[in-house]
Amino acid sequence: MLRPLFQDLPPAAASLLRWGWRSLLVVLAFVAAGRLALSFPGVSPHVTAVWLPAGIALAALVRWGQAYVPAVAFGGLLVGLAAGARPWLALAITLGSTAGPWIAARWMDRAGFNRRLEQRRDLGLLIGAGAGAGTLVSAANGAIWLAAGGRISALDLPAVWFQWWIGDTLGLLVAGVPLLCFGASSWARAFEGHRRVTTLGLLLGSLGAAVAGMLGQRWLGHAALAWFVVPPVLLCWLAMRSGLALASGSMFALASGLLAATAAGVGPFASSVANGVSGVQPTLLWAYITALLGLVLLPHVLIGELARLEERWQLALDGSDLGVADWNLRTGDGFTSPRWRALMDEPDSSQTSTIDRWLARVHPDERAALRSALASVDSPKGAGLRHEARVRVRDGWCWFDVHVIVVERDATGAPVRVVASLSDIGARRSAEDRQQLSSNLFMHLHEGLLITDAEFRVIDANPTYSKITGVPRDELLGTVPSLLQPVAPDAISRQQQASLWAALRSSGNWVGELVERRRGGDPCALHVTVSAVHGPDGALRYHVLVVSDVTEQRLQRERLERQANFDELTRLPNRARLSQLLADAMVSTDREGYLMAVCYLDLDHFKAINERFGHQAGDRLLAELATRLRTALRARGTVWSDVAARLGGDEFALLLRAGTVDEARAAVERVLRVVAQPFIVTPGGDPIVVTASVGATIYPLDSSDADTLLRHADHAMYGAKQSGRNGYLFFDTEHSRRTEERVMAIGRVQDALDRDELTLYYQPKVDLKRGVVLGFEALLRWNHPDHGVVPPAQFLPLIEHTGLSARIGDHVLARALDQLDAWTASGLDLTVSVNISARHLQEPDFAQRLAELLARHSRPLGPKLELEVLETAALTDISFTSALLERCGKLGVRWALDDFGTGYSTLTYLKRLPVQVLKIDRSFVHNMLADAQDRAIVEGVISLARTFDCIAVAEGVETPAQARMLLDMGCEIGQGAGIASPMPATEVAGWVRDWRGLFALTAAPGVAGTIGPVTRVQSSEL
């Protein structure tokens, strides 16, 4: 009830308040117990039979601490004054009665006293410190002060001291034990569940027996003492069943009642009144109280010891991970420990409650050995069998270490009681199996294994390692192997070891190849893996080396590398090796800032040498040439060196460093002089002179990649061949650049065709006299995504002599026919003319392809299609062109000669060509008003057209005056910017609808007709 109040107070105030009410409680208990003890019969006028305050003092100091010594002293002083002692005597006796419990409490506290009194040690501390020290001090102090005060004589001092000591000791045990053991949990445990009835029965039984013994004295006399045998027995039973707290409290109550009854003269312990003072039989009373104490304390302590022993046994079993089973073969009873059931994976002990059930789960290979150990009658008692056996657990076999002991046999020697223990050794067996496997692998592995300590001293080595190195294992132990020694014999080995140490420090692992010498001194290549092994604490413990002899593999690899990178005949680098050397040289050139001549060398007339002297002689010449080239190469330390390589046959490549272009030319000339020295190709034969042609390019002036540099040098070499051989030629990078730009431009036109960026614009052709639109000329434009509409003059010349020209021509024809078909379907009666390039016209399947394009449409579009070909293109091969035009004419199409008058064609050629239209070149039309010669040419062309029954069409009509003159000359059809500029197909229908002719007459007579509104545009290439 006071605990919540303490929780609300500050710690210091709560502690002070707690000390105050506890001190008050001690004083009150001390006074009450003292008055009760004084009412008991005394063994002398100054000593009581049992001094209960001694137990209260010890319990208070042990449970609450030394801070309550003042309360104990004050209570003792009050009791002494109440007994009638003088103040100074009462104070002197109080000092002794306080010092005794204080000494005992200090002793017990330092010795680690446990108030539950469950061990003999704690009971010994209570008796030794209390009775052997505390009560001796208080008894001696009291007896001495009684003698000093004249209350007793010196002769009575020993007897009074002894009696005082006995009374204090009994009071300390009778009152101190229940107060020390008191606890709410112990009392609640004594009355919980099924224990309540037994506890109450034992309490009532002991009380009833004591009352019967006291009251039965009147009728039974001293025979009533027999009733007092029952309470000790019942209290002993109560102590064993319900604990010491309740039993000692009951003992305190019983002893207090006996003392009170005896003081009143009731009970068998009261005697007759002698000399007017009530007397007692103290020895018998002390003996009975001592018996009560012994029968309550000793069973409790023994039970505590047994529980502790059982706990230790169980902890030992748990700590050793042992499962224990105890089987009685005669009765069939069995006990299994919790660990046994856990190992057997059984929730209860029913599955192995008997030894036969357990043996049924043992593997048959081990079951016979266990049964023979049980059947043996000659084995001494306690002897048994220790065996590793497999026992079925769940669905598998588990390994256990089984120890079976026959602890009891009958008269015939047959086992009666068997104790078995088992422990799980599955992990150990697995470890042993792994260790055995590791040992076998270690001994029989094809790789060498070496184990060293942290300082690289050899701990163990397998036979393979000794076989590889030639060093026996006994000589290796304790030494540092040469491949791990800190000082390597050469620079390469030192570099490898530096890499090894760095890798071990950073990652604890290194893999690489080392060159080692065998015992006989022969070198060998070893593939070595070094791994650091750390212990559980992270400290380095071992190094493990796995060694493989790769000498043969390395030699084979070197042979393959030579075959892959070097020419077998000349021992020069081959083409594959040259690629790497050239890439490295380009990097070095960029870094160092000098020039490099990449040369392509080809012998002149080498085939003739093979045919004259044979292939073996040719091979000897090539080998000798390779030797000469190597002597002609230069090197500058480790920075760079010239390179010679054989590309195949009689072709070689050279990489020559130079500071300037002139120095590079001098280096090439030096190589040519070396090659031109006489060769002796047959033994004893006359020497012959062989020359070479060299092509070269200069890097980084030629900033191409490695493959392109060689290709450029090859091109230059062919130029040197064509220039007469026995010389050299340097590659022209500017010419190459222009060629590459043209190739890229052609590729871009190809992309435009693939991406449908090429489109058609249409320029009308009109009848100048009647003002009627006759048709349109399809003109190609490039709708460039970045540059807008690009005229054909900027891209068609690039593809004029390529196959792409014919593809684009087919594309234009297909698009023009599609548009013509659409116009015809919409009601427009128009013709379309398409320009045909010379390359397109010369395609073998031109006529067939034209027929296929016309056949794609259901309407007959041939009569509305006009194909325009340049005069120069038509006259290239007059026979072929005439035949082609006739085949196409059968499809209904018409042909027109474009730019007529610029090709200087003869009348004979014109007569042979089946053309229907002659187009007058715009250059003549443009200047005919001012230039009489151009005007005469126009008149001539119109006259020729009339003669050969052709239609004359004037190009480049830009003004009405030009149109009027053309009409006067007899040319009625024209086209040009003065009529309309080329337009998209979507604008054609609207333009035709709005067209009203080129001329308009004014209303004023006699005045020349004025020109209607005409938009004048700059003439352009269409």
Side-chain angles (χ1 to χ4, degrees):
M1 294 178 64
L2 296 175
R3 183 170 299 174
L5 177 61
F6 294 159
Q7 293 177 350
D8 296 336
L9 295 175
S15 176
L16 182 60
L17 184 59
R18 186 182 298 109
W19 179 86
W21 77 262
R22 283 183 176 178
S23 298
L24 179 61
L25 182 62
V26 170
V27 172
L28 294 177
F30 216 93
V31 173
R35 294 184 64 85
L36 180 62
L38 292 174
S39 66
F40 294 159
V43 296
S44 70
H46 307 286
V47 181
T48 61
V50 177
W51 185 246
L52 298 176
I56 296 174
L58 181 63
L61 296 178
V62 170
R63 294 194 63 160
W64 293 339
Q66 309 300 315
Y68 296 91
V69 169
V72 171
F74 186 67
L77 180 60
L78 293 179
V79 173
L81 294 175
R86 296 180 182 177
W88 67 268
L89 182 59
L91 180 60
I93 295 174
T94 298
L95 291 176
S97 61
T98 302
W102 178 78
I103 294 173
R106 290 277 293 177
W107 184 357
M108 294 164 65
D109 181 62
R110 290 188 176 185
F113 173 73
N114 190 334
R115 294 187 294 106
R116 290 179 297 179
L117 291 173
E118 293 178 346
Q119 300 182 43
R120 288 173 294 177
R121 174 179 177 277
D122 298 324
L123 180 60
L125 279 174
L126 177 63
I127 296 175
T135 55
L136 283 175
V137 171
S138 60
N141 177 76
I144 291 173
W145 283 111
L146 286 177
R151 297 293 184 96
I152 62 173
S153 63
L155 296 176
D156 295 331
L157 180 61
V160 171
W161 171 80
F162 177 75
Q163 294 169 2
W164 195 315
W165 174 67
I166 292 294
D168 281 4
T169 299
L170 291 177
L172 182 142
L173 297 175
V174 170
V177 171
L179 291 176
L180 288 172
C181 299
F182 174 79
S185 59
S186 60
W187 285 75
R189 188 166 55 251
F191 288 96
E192 65 180 1
H194 61 279
R195 293 183 178 181
R196 184 180 299 119
V197 177
T198 305
T199 299
L200 290 175
L202 293 175
L203 288 174
L204 295 176
S206 60
L207 178 61
V211 172
M214 292 180 185
L215 298 178
Q217 184 183 10
R218 295 182 179 179
W219 301 282
L220 299 177
H222 292 289
L225 286 172
W227 283 102
F228 287 95
V229 177
V230 177
V233 176
L234 296 180
L235 291 180
C236 176
W237 188 355
L238 183 64
M240 290 188 295
R241 185 171 183 82
S242 301
L244 181 61
L246 185 61
S248 61
S250 302
M251 177 202 65
F252 172 74
L254 181 60
S256 299
L258 285 176
L259 289 170
T262 302
V266 179
F269 299 105
S271 60
S272 59
V273 179
N275 300 323
V277 180
S278 297
V280 296
Q281 300 175 352
T283 303
L284 184 59
L285 182 60
W286 286 341
Y288 187 75
I289 294 176
T290 302
L292 284 175
L293 287 169
L295 291 176
V296 169
L297 290 174
L298 293 179
H300 173 75
V301 172
L302 292 177
I303 289 174
E305 289 287 343
L306 291 176
R308 187 173 180 82
L309 288 175
E310 183 177 359
E311 181 184 7
R312 288 177 179 174
W313 173 76
Q314 191 62 48
L315 290 174
L317 288 180
D318 293 341
S320 61
D321 202 26
L322 286 176
V324 176
D326 188 349
W327 294 298
N328 192 314
L329 305 185
R330 179 179 299 168
T331 62
D333 297 334
F335 162 79
T336 55
S337 68
R339 182 55 183 162
W340 176 285
R341 294 192 293 272
L343 292 173
M344 292 292 100
D345 192 28
E346 53 187 20
D348 52 40
S349 60
S350 60
Q351 299 180 21
T352 57
S353 58
T354 65
I355 191 172
D356 291 331
R357 289 184 178 179
W358 179 74
L359 286 173
R361 298 176 62 174
V362 178
H363 195 278
D365 294 346
E366 289 86 25
R367 191 182 303 156
L370 294 174
R371 288 192 181 277
S372 63
L374 296 175
S376 177
V377 298
D378 297 331
S379 59
K381 183 177 180 180
L385 172 68
R386 192 167 195 138
H387 191 68
E388 293 183 357
R390 286 166 288 177
V391 181
R392 181 172 293 280
V393 178
R394 293 182 295 277
D395 298 329
W397 297 101
C398 297
W399 280 99
F400 294 96
D401 184 12
V402 182
H403 192 193
V404 179
I405 303 175
V406 179
V407 296
E408 185 178 349
R409 299 179 182 270
D410 60 11
T412 63
V416 174
R417 184 177 169 215
V418 176
V419 175
S421 64
L422 56 83
S423 61
D424 187 357
I425 59 170
R428 179 170 63 82
R429 289 290 297 228
S430 298
E432 291 177 353
D433 292 342
R434 290 194 300 270
Q435 183 179 4
Q436 184 66 27
L437 177 62
S438 300
S439 178
N440 291 333
L441 288 174
F442 184 79
M443 297 300 295
H444 300 96
L445 198 65
H446 291 294
E447 285 79 13
L449 285 179
L450 188 71
I451 302 175
T452 73
D453 58 14
E455 286 74 30
F456 296 101
R457 292 187 294 269
V458 176
I459 297 176
D460 201 356
N462 69 344
T464 306
Y465 183 86
S466 298
K467 181 179 179 181
I468 291 174
T469 60
V471 182
R473 175 179 177 274
D474 295 339
E475 296 183 18
L476 288 170
L477 297 180
T479 64
V480 177
S482 58
L483 57 88
L484 293 178
Q485 289 179 358
V487 179
D490 55 77
I492 296 178
S493 298
R494 285 194 294 271
Q495 183 178 2
Q496 290 176 334
Q497 287 190 351
S499 173
L500 186 151
W501 307 135
L504 286 180
R505 285 191 296 269
S506 60
S507 62
N509 186 69
W510 181 83
V511 179
E513 287 190 6
L514 295 174
V515 177
E516 177 70 348
R517 292 195 174 274
R518 306 185 198 273
R519 185 67 175 267
D522 297 331
C524 61
L526 303 179
H527 183 273
V528 182
T529 300
V530 184
S531 301
V533 180
H534 298 270
D537 56 353
L540 179 62
R541 297 290 182 82
Y542 309 104
H543 290 98
V544 178
L545 283 76
V546 182
V547 179
S548 301
D549 188 355
V550 294
T551 305
E552 291 298 327
Q553 294 90 321
R554 186 165 182 174
L555 293 175
Q556 180 66 18
R557 185 170 67 247
E558 291 176 354
R559 286 193 293 268
L560 293 176
E561 289 178 355
R562 285 196 300 271
Q563 293 174 2
N565 296 314
F566 292 88
D567 178 61
E568 288 292 330
L569 176 63
T570 62
R571 300 301 179 183
L572 291 177
N574 58 14
R575 184 181 292 270
R577 177 60 177 164
L578 176 64
S579 298
Q580 182 62 44
L581 293 174
L582 179 53
D584 295 342
M586 292 171 68
V587 174
S588 178
T589 300
D590 294 336
R591 184 178 62 249
E592 302 296 332
Y594 49 78
L595 302 179
M596 177 177 64
V598 180
C599 306
Y600 206 103
L601 184 149
D602 184 83
L603 295 179
D604 298 331
H605 306 297
F606 182 72
K607 182 178 179 181
I609 296 175
N610 278 334
E611 292 175 352
R612 178 182 175 186
F613 299 102
H615 289 283
Q616 292 184 352
D619 290 344
R620 286 195 296 273
L621 188 150
L622 293 176
E624 175 63 20
L625 176 61
T627 302
R628 292 185 182 183
L629 291 177
R630 276 194 290 266
T631 60
L633 300 181
R634 299 164 301 159
R636 183 179 296 171
T638 59
V639 179
W640 60 260
S641 61
D642 293 337
V643 175
R646 185 188 181 193
L647 302 179
D650 60 339
E651 296 178 343
F652 296 83
L654 302 172
L655 305 180
L656 307 177
R657 271 65 171 185
T660 63
V661 175
D662 291 339
E663 185 180 346
R665 294 180 185 275
V668 174
E669 292 173 355
R670 184 179 67 255
V671 171
L672 287 177
R673 287 194 299 271
V674 169
V675 174
Q677 294 176 3
F679 288 93
I680 299 177
V681 296
T682 57
D686 295 331
I688 63 172
V689 176
V690 177
T691 61
S693 299
V694 176
T697 186
I698 303 295
Y699 179 84
L701 301 181
D702 183 356
S703 58
S704 304
D705 56 42
D707 293 337
T708 306
L709 288 174
L710 285 175
R711 189 166 61 251
H712 289 172
D714 188 18
H715 291 168
M717 184 271 294
Y718 277 106
K721 290 275 190 185
Q722 294 172 357
S723 299
R725 296 184 171 86
N726 191 21
Y728 64 91
L729 182 66
F730 277 78
F731 181 76
D732 187 352
T733 57
E734 181 61 24
H735 174 73
S736 175
R737 183 188 62 79
R738 291 194 300 268
T739 302
E740 290 180 359
E741 288 178 353
R742 182 174 180 274
V743 171
M744 291 179 63
I746 294 174
R748 185 64 187 89
V749 176
Q750 174 70 60
D751 293 340
L753 177 62
D754 296 338
R755 298 171 183 173
D756 200 22
E757 295 175 0
L758 300 180
T759 186
L760 295 181
Y761 275 51
Y762 297 89
Q763 187 175 35
K765 292 190 295 183
V766 301
D767 188 326
L768 298 175
K769 184 176 182 180
R770 295 183 297 134
V772 176
V773 180
L774 301 176
F776 287 84
E777 181 180 359
L779 301 172
L780 183 63
R781 298 291 187 269
W782 181 359
N783 189 10
H784 198 285
D786 297 327
H787 305 295
V789 178
V790 179
Q794 296 186 16
F795 62 91
L796 286 183
L798 295 172
I799 63 170
E800 184 176 0
H801 302 292
T802 67
L804 184 58
S805 176
R807 288 189 57 197
I808 292 179
D810 286 344
H811 172 76
V812 172
L813 274 172
R815 295 286 294 270
L817 287 173
D818 291 341
Q819 188 61 56
L820 179 59
D821 191 23
W823 285 337
T824 304
S826 64
L828 293 175
D829 186 13
L830 300 172
T831 63
V832 172
S833 60
V834 178
N835 292 285
I836 303 299
S837 67
R839 177 63 182 266
H840 193 192
L841 188 66
Q842 293 169 4
E843 289 292 320
D845 60 343
F846 177 83
Q848 179 182 353
R849 179 63 179 160
L850 177 61
E852 292 174 355
L853 292 175
L854 288 170
R856 288 167 49 187
H857 302 278
S858 59
R859 296 180 179 85
L861 301 180
K864 295 186 178 185
L865 179 63
E866 183 179 293
L867 301 181
E868 298 182 7
V869 61
L870 291 174
E871 179 185 4
T872 53
L875 301 179
T876 301
D877 187 347
I878 190 66
S879 299
F880 171 79
T881 306
S882 298
L884 176 63
L885 267 58
E886 288 179 358
R887 286 198 303 271
C888 295
K890 294 178 182 180
L891 300 175
V893 302
R894 295 190 304 170
W895 285 92
L897 278 179
D898 196 10
D899 295 344
F900 187 77
T902 62
Y904 306 102
S905 59
T906 65
L907 296 179
T908 302
Y909 287 169
L910 182 61
K911 179 180 177 181
R912 293 178 60 183
L913 290 175
V915 297
Q916 293 79 34
V917 178
L918 296 180
K919 299 191 74 174
I920 306 170
D921 186 74
R922 61 172 51 86
S923 62
F924 302 132
V925 175
H926 179 70
N927 295 321
M928 70 180 181
L929 295 178
D931 192 330
Q933 293 181 355
D934 286 346
R935 184 167 59 252
I937 292 174
V938 172
E939 288 178 343
V941 172
I942 295 172
S943 176
L944 286 175
R946 188 179 303 113
T947 300
F948 289 102
D949 196 19
C950 294
I951 299 172
V953 178
E955 294 180 311
V957 178
E958 298 181 358
T959 66
Q962 293 172 344
R964 175 60 63 185
M965 182 172 285
L966 288 172
L967 286 174
D968 293 342
M969 292 178 182
C971 179
E972 299 179 353
I973 302 174
Q975 70 180 93
I979 299 170
S981 297
M983 64 189 72
T986 56
E987 300 178 5
V988 167
W991 187 88
V992 171
R993 185 174 57 253
D994 297 337
W995 170 252
R996 295 294 182 267
L998 186 62
F999 305 105
L1001 298 177
T1002 63
V1007 180
T1010 59
I1011 301 175
V1014 175
T1015 302
R1016 185 177 184 87
V1017 298
Q1018 182 68 31
S1019 175
S1020 62
E1021 194 71 25
L1022 303 180

